[in-house]
Amino acid sequence: MIFNRLSRSLITILLLISCFSSCTWRQIGGTFGATTGIILALAWINGENQERREKGKRPLTEDEENQISATAMAIGLALGAELGGAIGDYVAKKREEYRTEAEYLNAQISGVNKSISKADTELEWLNKQSTELTKQARNVRTLPGARKEAATKLKESITKRQADADKLDKHLRDARTDTLQAYNSTQDQEKKKQLQENIKALDARISATKAVRNNILSAGNSVAYL
């Protein structure tokens, strides 16, 4: 029974996949969601029937199996369509600025490369600021007098540098989101490779930004109670 159902489900999946060349993102997302729902339902049905046999109970009827599979497929279709639609809307909006997919992807890759270059410059400056703030925090703690006044001024600088790090972090994360959307929108393997490299580069800068922000925060904590 379960294998008959599996065969029919696979035929359905193949028919759905055949529309990929002309489907919208919402349809494609729905197809993947429905496929996932069927696979999970079949796995659950198989496990449920096995457990029932071990307990001496009757297995699920074909109607019950069909109902479970249909429900799982419908839920997967709805969820997948929603996700696919969101990606499709994003890509369509971005592509309004460009005439072709290639132009869109090339602009995305070029823009991210510029963002990475600017981030490197900003990180170099923030690291120097972090080193200097840490040094000044040590100096403030050893002052013979006026430590509170000096600490107040230092905290102001530290707050500004934290804001700079937060701004850089947001910029990098937004760029990563855009790049991931572009990656998911194309089947061009060469472009996907370039975009994947961009994502890795952005991840490295995000980690570096977190590290320098933590160093700046540490400098602030060291004079927090002066």
Side-chain angles (χ1 to χ4, degrees):
M1 187 182 301
I2 186 68
F3 295 106
N4 291 336
R5 180 59 188 166
L6 176 58
S7 298
R8 290 195 295 273
S9 298
L10 289 176
I11 291 172
T12 302
I13 292 168
L14 290 173
L15 289 173
L16 286 167
I17 292 174
S18 68
C19 79
F20 271 23
S21 61
S22 60
C23 280
T24 64
W25 274 101
R26 193 176 298 279
Q27 289 171 311
I28 293 172
T31 297
F32 279 113
T35 301
T36 301
I38 289 173
I39 291 172
L40 292 175
L42 291 173
W44 185 88
I45 289 169
N46 192 40
E48 176 67 13
N49 281 335
Q50 179 65 30
E51 184 177 346
R52 286 181 175 225
R53 282 192 291 270
E54 291 173 355
K55 293 181 177 180
K57 298 181 179 180
R58 69 164 180 82
L60 295 168
T61 65
E62 186 170 1
D63 286 342
E64 289 172 333
E65 290 181 5
N66 289 342
Q67 183 179 4
I68 292 168
S69 296
T71 301
M73 182 176 176
I75 293 173
L77 180 66
L79 294 175
E82 182 179 352
L83 176 60
I87 294 175
D89 291 344
Y90 174 87
V91 173
K93 182 178 179 181
K94 283 289 185 180
R95 286 184 184 169
E96 287 178 1
E97 304 172 18
Y98 309 101
R99 289 174 296 177
T100 66
E101 178 182 282
E103 288 182 359
Y104 159 64
L105 294 173
N106 287 335
Q108 176 63 37
I109 292 168
S110 176
V112 171
N113 286 335
K114 290 178 181 178
S115 293
I116 290 170
S117 179
K118 290 181 180 178
D120 286 342
T121 299
E122 184 75 2
L123 278 168
E124 182 179 3
W125 180 75
L126 282 172
N127 274 307
K128 289 179 180 178
Q129 291 293 303
S130 172
T131 300
E132 182 62 24
L133 290 170
T134 300
K135 177 182 176 181
Q136 293 305 320
R138 286 197 300 265
N139 291 339
V140 167
R141 291 199 306 272
T142 59
L143 285 174
R147 279 188 295 178
K148 183 176 181 180
E149 292 78 4
T152 298
K153 292 296 181 182
L154 182 61
K155 290 173 191 175
E156 291 176 3
S157 295
I158 289 172
T159 299
K160 291 178 181 178
R161 297 296 79 79
Q162 284 178 326
D164 290 333
D166 288 341
K167 183 178 179 180
L168 176 59
D169 180 76
K170 184 179 185 305
H171 175 74
L172 289 169
R173 291 182 185 277
D174 287 346
R176 189 188 191 284
T177 297
D178 289 346
T179 305
L180 184 59
Q181 294 280 19
Y183 177 87
N184 289 330
S185 76
T186 183
Q187 297 301 315
D188 186 320
Q189 294 304 310
E190 183 59 33
K191 296 299 183 186
K192 288 180 86 71
K193 182 179 179 181
Q194 294 178 50
L195 290 164
Q196 191 172 42
E197 290 174 354
N198 283 158
I199 291 171
K200 289 181 180 178
L202 288 167
D203 284 341
R205 273 67 180 183
I206 289 171
S207 294
T209 302
K210 180 179 179 180
V212 73
R213 187 187 184 283
N214 286 342
N215 289 339
I216 292 170
L217 182 62
S218 179
N221 290 338
S222 69
V223 294
Y225 299 104
L226 293 182

